[in-house]
Amino acid sequence: MAKQSRFWTPNVFVAICVLVLTTRSVNAEEPQKILLWPEGAPLAKGDRPEDKPGLIVYLPPAERAVGTGVVVCPGGGYGALAMDHEGHQIAQWFNSFGVAAFILDYRHRNKGYMHPAPMLDVQRAIRLVRARADQFGVKPDRIGVMGFSAGGHLASTAATHFDAGAPDAPDPIDRVSCRPDFAILCYAVIAFDEPFTHRGSMRNLLGDNPDPELVKSLSNEKQVTPQTPPTFLFHTNEDTGVPPENSVAFYMALRKAGVPAELHIFEKGRHGLGLAAGVPGTELWPECLKAWLKVRGLLD
């Protein structure tokens, strides 16, 4: 009978397997969920998961990181969140070329919230990433916001409704600016109370009979100023859910204000395409965005 090696005993073999699996789990870059307000969000209606907005953090490997971060706002008509094709897939795509991504799990109508809760959530998200930039491996002046559909409305709200922070705030996160350094708007809801408005998003955010001044304030093409950050927009001509006039209106407002901007309207594709894989022509939009980021020095 062959003599068993003193090293390769069953116990040693099991121990080595456990060590290998443990090492793999430690080295893996798994996304983490962090709360925007660990002590409780403003306007919170309880202590349920729905009352606790947060960020799902996707960080690229340190050796590939370029120092740019993006807060990603999935769409869903302010009544849901398309977390896969407008969240996780987008974050993984950003990570593939060194950009950190932070998916915003924000409050909305079906969680029991309307305006101003979503706006407070996206403003806090930008402040948090900026305040903890060193920890996340990003630069505090290279933090953008991105949104799809109604999430695009929220991103455009962040790009037009911001402040420099409160220097004397007890919470250090509240002391930093919530102005994004750039914005990316994908088949975004922009205008309210127009023929091309997405009424469902407007109703979920503001209710059935909103104050006209509030409607005007959140018609974000009317709120663009020279301080609005540089913006990339893409839409499709076939989008009947959120017509491309929304993106055109925001782009024209950016031009009027002298804000650097780039607009792509592709011929093909329904609403809600995400990365648009397999859609002729439109599937090029991610590379257009990547080129725009490079031109702006955000991939250096």
Side-chain angles (χ1 to χ4, degrees):
M1 183 175 179
K3 188 176 181 180
Q4 186 180 40
S5 167
R6 287 181 297 171
F7 181 77
W8 288 105
T9 64
N11 288 342
V12 171
F13 181 75
V14 170
I16 290 174
C17 290
V18 170
L19 177 61
V20 170
L21 292 173
T22 302
T23 302
R24 287 180 179 174
S25 66
V26 168
N27 291 337
E29 291 291 336
E30 295 293 335
Q32 294 182 332
K33 174 75 176 286
I34 59 175
L35 297 180
L36 295 181
W37 288 277
E39 304 303 320
L43 308 179
K45 297 181 178 181
D47 196 40
R48 308 165 302 162
E50 301 95 307
D51 303 312
K52 300 176 180 180
L55 288 173
I56 303 170
V57 180
Y58 276 81
L59 300 181
E63 66 274 10
R64 299 185 63 185
V66 297
T68 295
V70 182
V71 173
V72 180
C73 306
Y78 281 120
L81 295 177
M83 292 295 280
D84 183 21
H85 68 287
E86 294 173 358
H88 297 292
Q89 292 181 26
I90 303 303
Q92 291 163 359
W93 177 74
F94 273 127
N95 279 186
S96 72
F97 55 95
V99 173
F102 307 84
I103 305 171
L104 180 59
D105 183 359
Y106 58 91
R107 292 172 288 179
H108 54 69
R109 184 73 175 267
N110 283 342
K111 290 183 178 182
Y113 294 91
M114 298 167 62
H115 179 77
M119 182 176 72
L120 296 177
D121 294 350
V122 72
Q123 291 174 339
R124 174 71 173 190
I126 295 167
R127 292 191 213 275
L128 188 153
V129 174
R130 181 166 284 129
R132 297 170 60 179
D134 286 346
Q135 175 187 338
F136 296 132
V138 299
K139 299 178 180 179
D141 60 350
R142 285 169 58 160
I143 298 167
V145 67
M146 178 187 205
F148 296 81
S149 191
H153 182 269
L154 185 56
S156 70
T157 300
T160 52
H161 299 70
F162 51 79
D163 60 65
D168 56 350
D171 186 343
I173 293 176
D174 289 333
R175 300 172 196 163
V176 300
S177 170
C178 64
R179 177 187 179 273
D181 297 302
F182 59 94
I184 304 164
L185 307 179
C186 307
Y187 43 85
V189 176
I190 297 289
F192 282 170
D193 206 25
E194 297 287 349
F196 48 86
T197 294
H198 187 257
R199 298 288 169 178
S201 295
M202 179 178 165
R203 183 170 56 253
N204 280 339
L205 184 65
L206 303 181
D208 292 327
N209 297 293
D211 183 289
E213 287 303 311
L214 182 59
V215 172
K216 181 179 178 181
S217 172
L218 291 172
S219 297
N220 291 326
E221 82 284 6
K222 296 181 172 69
Q223 307 306 321
V224 171
T225 71
Q227 285 70 49
T228 301
T231 303
F232 175 97
L233 305 100
F234 111 84
H235 224 115
T236 63
N237 195 59
E238 292 182 344
D239 191 337
T240 57
V242 177
E245 282 84 350
N246 284 272
S247 290
V248 172
F250 200 79
Y251 174 76
M252 294 305 295
L254 293 165
R255 276 188 57 82
K256 184 177 180 180
V259 175
E262 183 167 312
L263 168 65
H264 297 265
I265 300 182
F266 296 90
E267 180 181 355
K268 298 296 182 181
R270 58 172 175 77
H271 184 69
L273 287 173
L275 290 170
V279 181
T282 310
E283 64 186 351
L284 298 175
W285 85 260
E287 290 305 309
C288 293
L289 170 57
K290 188 175 179 181
W292 181 78
L293 292 169
K294 186 173 181 61
V295 167
R296 299 214 58 80
L298 294 166
L299 301 185
D300 296 338

